[in-house]
Amino acid sequence: GAVVSQHPSWVICKSGTSVKIECRSLDFQATTMFWYRQFPKQSLMLMATSNEGSKATYEQGVEKDKFLINHASLTLSTLTVTSAHPEDSSFYICSATRQGLANTEAFFGQGTRLTVV
Amino acid sequence: GNSVTQMEGPVTLSEEAFLTINCTYTATGYPSLFWYVQYPGEGLQLLLKATKADDKGSNKGFEATYRKETTSFHLEKGSVQVSDSAVYFCALSASLSGGYNKLIFGAGTRLAVHP
């Protein structure tokens, strides 16, 4: 199967700082990437859909100025949590779908655990 | 709208027991259906999928059949192992404009298998 790599796997940062999380599709071109947030023992909540070369589409209730998403190439999308606060601590997961295939499988990164202290 | 409802966990079983995790969905159109598994501290891995009614997805001894008449996609395994302990997510794909997917997840069901 296709490989999606997320980096870093975990990060601890101080309140008020910004953190960037990278999501890369290693062996395929991903026109569309998705960013999810998962709270402990809960399901995944879609935050935004990221299309290469265009602005991300955010889900209702997600602050676009706080969670900056950039999808500059067909293999890389980044999520930047700006001015992080302890309530932003969570598990963030990205997924990617292959270019040009409709209704197809999404491949997930291994996730990034963010802890804001 | 589109939604997925899963049975609440945790589900606790002894090794070699039979497993069923119920999943029902609400969707417009004809979505694809998926089961994903998440091991502790990791991302999600696709376990199996079905893309149309009456399709059966299977992998690693797990099976699920796409039942359009009951809008269900229940996960089953005849004999679970300790290594199957994980969280299982049922999901459907809703097509966005341009033909790409948006996955909608159920709440997840935690499975614990004891020796």
Side-chain angles (χ1 to χ4, degrees):
Chain A
V3 178
V4 174
S5 176
Q6 222 175 303
H7 178 81
S9 297
W10 58 271
V11 57
I12 301 173
C13 71
K14 292 183 178 180
S15 278
T17 61
S18 295
V19 174
K20 180 185 284 189
I21 302 170
E22 293 186 348
C23 180
R24 293 181 184 273
S25 56
L26 297 185
D27 53 359
F28 68 100
Q29 293 185 325
T31 308
T32 305
M33 288 186 173
F34 302 86
W35 287 96
Y36 296 85
R37 182 173 181 177
Q38 185 182 31
F39 291 101
K41 299 185 179 181
Q42 295 188 28
S43 189
L44 282 74
M45 290 175 42
L46 180 64
M47 300 174 66
T49 302
S50 167
N51 291 298
E52 184 265 338
S54 63
K55 290 183 179 180
T57 302
Y58 289 81
E59 295 297 301
Q60 193 172 9
V62 177
E63 298 177 60
K64 59 182 67 176
D65 293 332
K66 180 163 188 64
F67 299 100
L68 301 180
I69 292 172
N70 182 277
H71 192 163
S73 77
L74 284 171
T75 59
L76 174 64
S77 177
T78 60
L79 167 67
T80 301
V81 183
T82 62
S83 186
H85 288 95
E87 58 265 30
D88 299 323
S89 299
S90 192
F91 196 54
Y92 293 87
I93 304 176
C94 72
S95 74
T97 55
R98 292 183 199 254
Q99 180 184 22
L101 296 179
N103 215 20
T104 187
E105 178 182 347
F107 301 95
F108 285 80
Q110 71 271 36
T112 298
R113 183 163 301 285
L114 169 64
T115 301
V116 185
V117 298
Chain B
N2 299 311
S3 66
V4 176
T5 302
Q6 272 181 254
M7 64 185 288
E8 290 188 19
V11 174
T12 303
L13 295 173
S14 298
E15 206 164 25
E16 298 184 3
F18 184 85
L19 168 71
T20 299
I21 301 178
N22 289 338
C23 171
T24 57
Y25 68 91
T26 303
T28 53
Y30 302 95
S32 290
L33 301 174
F34 305 84
W35 277 100
Y36 283 86
V37 58
Q38 184 180 34
Y39 297 100
E42 298 184 13
L44 273 67
Q45 301 173 28
L46 178 66
L47 181 59
L48 53 85
K49 68 177 180 180
T51 58
K52 61 183 187 296
D54 299 326
D55 268 3
K56 176 186 283 188
S58 61
N59 185 28
K60 300 179 182 178
F62 291 89
E63 292 184 342
T65 301
Y66 190 143
R67 301 285 188 199
K68 189 169 181 292
E69 63 277 12
T70 54
T71 61
S72 64
F73 193 55
H74 304 322
L75 182 68
E76 296 182 336
K77 185 173 186 181
S79 176
V80 294
Q81 305 300 313
V82 173
S83 57
D84 294 326
S85 299
V87 180
Y88 293 81
F89 292 94
C90 185
L92 66 82
S93 68
S95 294
L96 304 173
S97 59
Y100 300 106
N101 290 337
K102 172 178 173 175
L103 278 173
I104 296 169
F105 288 90
T109 302
R110 184 174 300 277
L111 170 65
V113 181
H114 299 293

